[in-house]
Amino acid sequence: NKLIEWFKVNEPSNSLSLNILYSEAVEQKKYETADSLLDVIERKFGTNSDVYSKKVSLLLDRKKQKEAIELIEQGYEDYPNSYFFVYLKYLILNSQKDVSGAKKVIKKYLKKNYSQEAYKTLANILFEEGDVSGGMKIYEMFLENVPYSSAYMETLGDIYYELKDYDKALEYYNQILKYLPYVSSTYESIAQVYMDMGKEKIAKENYETALRINPNSFTAREKIRSFNGQKENIFDELGIKEIDALAIFK
């Protein structure tokens, strides 16, 4: 990018230039250079959460775990509303088997802040504790906030499928089709639910729909072959051994 190069040459003490030079030094593993640049950034623009996070990342890159943990603890105290430090504090407590303390850190943060990542972390904690209802409520809240999000519908469908609550799984997968009727993977998910329910006829119909939408779907093609009494893998049917295309490069 010519603009970035111009800044690096003509405005080397500019915040943008210094941060670019710092990132390049880290990428090239020139850690002493990165340290020096970080010192310049801190002197010119003051200590802030971004400087702290860079220091932590630099220590972790250099495998200085003890120093990194000490800085994370300080960063968490100084910047309790920075999810970067909140999440690292959570990981530290989790690694120490202090599950209760880790959960409190996330919940404390969410009392004053809204973060989807923090809520997802809390949902995972609840799922691990066996509080499926609590975890699901978080994803349902996401969907209420963004009612047309196919990603949240899919996540909820997938979770209900894993819980073997097939009716609820189908409810969310079918919601996706109301807004995105030509997503082959959704039809494949629906087909798999019906397969598990023992409704093979409906499952086959959904795999066929998926294949019409995406003729390159090997999953749908193989499932349909299975329904028709053929081997799922076309190579097996023809008695041909599959070739590892990458083998010639090994």
Side-chain angles (χ1 to χ4, degrees), residues 64-74 92 96:
K64 295 184 177 182
Q65 190 174 12
K66 184 180 177 182
E67 293 95 322
I69 289 174
E70 289 174 357
L71 198 58
I72 289 166
E73 296 286 1
Q74 187 60 51
I92 289 170
Q96 296 170 346

Side-chain angles (χ1 to χ4, degrees), residues 199-241:
K199 299 182 178 181
E200 294 190 359
K201 183 175 182 295
I202 305 175
K204 183 182 178 185
E205 289 170 357
N206 279 279
Y207 278 125
E208 288 171 341
T209 302
L211 192 60
R212 282 196 297 273
I213 294 170
N214 177 18
N216 295 317
S217 171
F218 287 104
T219 299
R221 189 180 299 278
E222 289 178 354
K223 291 295 184 182
I224 292 168
R225 289 179 60 79
S226 179
F227 282 123
N228 292 335
Q230 300 169 294
K231 291 184 178 179
E232 287 191 9
N233 193 316
I234 185 66
F235 293 105
D236 291 340
E237 183 73 21
L238 297 173
I240 300 172
K241 211 173 199 179

Side-chain angles (χ1 to χ4, degrees), residues 243-250:
I243 299 171
D244 182 355
L246 298 177
I248 59 174
F249 298 106
K250 294 176 182 176

Side-chain angles (χ1 to χ4, degrees), residues 12-13 31 48 67 84 116 172:
S13 62
Y31 297 129
N48 53 44
E67 293 95 322
F84 176 83
Q116 286 190 1
Y172 283 106

Side-chain angles (χ1 to χ4, degrees), residues 64-99:
K64 295 184 177 182
Q65 190 174 12
K66 184 180 177 182
E67 293 95 322
I69 289 174
E70 289 174 357
L71 198 58
I72 289 166
E73 296 286 1
Q74 187 60 51
Y76 177 68
E77 291 298 320
D78 292 346
Y79 305 102
N81 293 316
S82 165
Y83 190 60
F84 176 83
F85 288 107
V86 168
Y87 186 66
L88 289 177
K89 175 70 172 177
Y90 158 79
L91 291 178
I92 289 170
L93 291 171
N94 234 11
S95 70
Q96 296 170 346
K97 309 299 182 186
D98 185 358
V99 179

Side-chain angles (χ1 to χ4, degrees), residues 193-201:
V193 174
Y194 280 118
M195 281 282 289
D196 286 14
M197 294 173 74
K199 299 182 178 181
E200 294 190 359
K201 183 175 182 295

Side-chain angles (χ1 to χ4, degrees), residues 95-248:
S95 70
Q96 296 170 346
K97 309 299 182 186
D98 185 358
V99 179
S100 175
K103 182 180 177 181
K104 284 177 183 176
V105 164
I106 299 297
K107 293 184 79 172
K108 179 182 176 182
Y109 172 80
L110 286 171
K111 283 182 179 179
K112 294 183 177 180
N113 304 274
Y114 178 86
S115 163
Q116 286 190 1
E117 290 307 311
Y119 272 114
K120 286 178 183 177
T121 300
L122 180 58
N124 289 336
I125 292 169
L126 294 172
F127 286 136
E128 287 173 7
E129 291 179 343
D131 185 1
V132 175
S133 175
M136 295 302 284
K137 282 178 182 176
I138 289 173
Y139 280 97
E140 286 165 357
M141 176 190 72
F142 289 158
L143 192 55
E144 284 178 15
N145 293 339
V146 190
Y148 305 112
S149 171
S150 61
Y152 293 140
M153 294 175 195
E154 182 178 25
T155 299
L156 283 160
D158 291 347
I159 294 171
Y160 277 118
Y161 171 72
E162 291 298 324
L163 294 170
K164 301 187 186 303
D165 189 338
Y166 299 133
D167 289 337
K168 289 293 287 185
L170 288 172
E171 178 185 326
Y172 283 106
Y173 290 144
N174 281 312
Q175 274 189 47
I176 297 173
L177 296 180
K178 288 181 182 178
Y179 305 106
L180 300 169
Y182 302 109
V183 179
S184 64
S185 60
T186 303
Y187 284 100
E188 289 177 19
S189 296
I190 291 172
Q192 188 58 56
V193 174
Y194 280 118
M195 281 282 289
D196 286 14
M197 294 173 74
K199 299 182 178 181
E200 294 190 359
K201 183 175 182 295
I202 305 175
K204 183 182 178 185
E205 289 170 357
N206 279 279
Y207 278 125
E208 288 171 341
T209 302
L211 192 60
R212 282 196 297 273
I213 294 170
N214 177 18
N216 295 317
S217 171
F218 287 104
T219 299
R221 189 180 299 278
E222 289 178 354
K223 291 295 184 182
I224 292 168
R225 289 179 60 79
S226 179
F227 282 123
N228 292 335
Q230 300 169 294
K231 291 184 178 179
E232 287 191 9
N233 193 316
I234 185 66
F235 293 105
D236 291 340
E237 183 73 21
L238 297 173
I240 300 172
K241 211 173 199 179
E242 280 195 73
I243 299 171
D244 182 355
L246 298 177
I248 59 174

